[in-house]
Amino acid sequence: QAIPNGWELEDGRPQQPVAPPSPNDPLVLAHTGTIYPIAHDLKTLLSGIRKASDQGLQLRVRSCGTGGRFLQAGLAEVGLEELLDDIGTVPREQAVEMRAAASAQLLFLPSRPEDEGTIPSKLFDYLITGQPIVAVGDADSEPGQILRQAGAGSAAADAAAVAERLLAIARAQQQGQLASMGVPREAAERFSGQAMAAAFHEVLSELL
């Protein structure tokens, strides 16, 4: 029996330099991949976006993968469907570029007791990309703890916290300090595919 464990040389980074939004641009919130409405707290996210928009936040939500239809329906419920740019399923390289070109990356963490111990692989893609992360879910879950260990902030469990996080990132962008809200490179490297493959190799070597 074998447990496949691999990583790409690019390791979630764009192959070409990508510029994030400028201070005068709207906040760009990117989500790549799948959304599971039964497990992901869309209601809290959408209520938070509504609150932030009511406080003057200029926002674009960009999506690729299969999650766009849920974002579209949810944003329509709060009267903000015009905020979404959904390009559907794309090659991985394009998803990587979308994240790197965003102001922030949208991440859903486990929000149900039965999901305890679940760590989405997207978490590590987002960490290595380095852009700020807007995480929605249980801050004390295992992925929530990894976020804090990587200096990526705490997950938001209610709409007010989502709005506060979005507005804080927007202020940093307007001041030309978006990088200050991002994931510290050294911390992100601890959770890179290369680092985890090396740790896996060490465990296997000890067993052998």
Side-chain angles (χ1 to χ4, degrees), residues 51-135:
K51 282 181 177 291
S53 296
D54 289 345
Q55 295 180 55
L57 177 69
Q58 299 298 307
L59 175 69
R60 298 301 307 174
V61 180
R62 292 185 181 157
S63 170
C64 69
T66 60
R69 61 194 175 106
F70 298 113
L71 289 171
Q72 182 69 52
L75 287 167
E77 289 180 6
V78 295
L80 295 172
E81 63 269 28
E82 76 280 357
L83 299 185
L84 181 67
D85 302 315
D86 180 22
I87 61 174
T89 303
V90 299
R92 175 175 168 80
E93 293 79 9
Q94 193 169 343
V96 169
E97 290 177 0
M98 177 182 283
R99 293 195 295 267
S103 311
Q105 309 166 89
L106 171 60
L107 177 68
F108 289 102
L109 301 186
S111 57
R112 306 180 303 169
E114 56 264 45
D115 295 324
E116 184 177 354
T118 300
I119 303 177
S121 60
K122 189 183 285 110
L123 167 63
F124 303 103
D125 287 336
Y126 282 19
L127 288 176
I128 204 68
T129 297
Q131 294 301 91
I133 296 174
V134 176

Side-chain angles (χ1 to χ4, degrees), residues 7-15 92-93 96 128:
W7 52 278
E8 298 173 330
L9 290 176
E10 295 81 10
D11 208 16
R13 300 186 185 91
Q15 298 183 30
R92 175 175 168 80
E93 293 79 9
V96 169
I128 204 68

Side-chain angles (χ1 to χ4, degrees), residues 20 97 103 121 142 157 173 186 190:
E97 290 177 0
S103 311
S121 60
E142 192 166 354
Q173 178 176 313
E186 182 177 340
R190 291 171 49 206

